[in-house]
Amino acid sequence: MENNANVFSNAEITVTYNPRCCANAELCARQLSNVFRRSVIPWIDLEGAQTDVIINQIKKCPSGALQYHLNKKDVA
């Protein structure tokens, strides 16, 4: 499986980033800097906040460069 540098996942959520769409408004980095970090690789750290907080920030992205989907949980 090929690793995409613009896909970030944890157990709950997968976040994708499309740099071609990014308006560089920097809302993500200014408003949720524990997750969307400047000058740090990887620049998205999904352990920096709760999933609902991350989702709320992604919904504020003016260009749509940030997207997310919830990961399915296995039901036994």
Side-chain angles (χ1 to χ4, degrees), residues 13-28:
I13 188 172
T14 296
V15 174
T16 59
Y17 169 64
N18 184 345
R20 289 184 178 186
C21 291
C22 185
N24 292 311
E26 297 185 7
L27 288 176
C28 55

Side-chain angles (χ1 to χ4, degrees), residues 44-74:
I44 296 178
D45 178 12
L46 298 177
E47 303 307 318
Q50 293 181 347
T51 299
D52 60 331
V53 174
I54 295 170
I55 290 170
N56 287 335
Q57 188 62 47
I58 290 171
K59 288 179 178 179
K60 295 177 186 177
C61 180
S63 64
L66 292 168
Q67 298 287 318
Y68 76 92
H69 71 265
L70 296 174
N71 298 330
K72 291 183 179 180
K73 294 183 180 181
D74 290 334

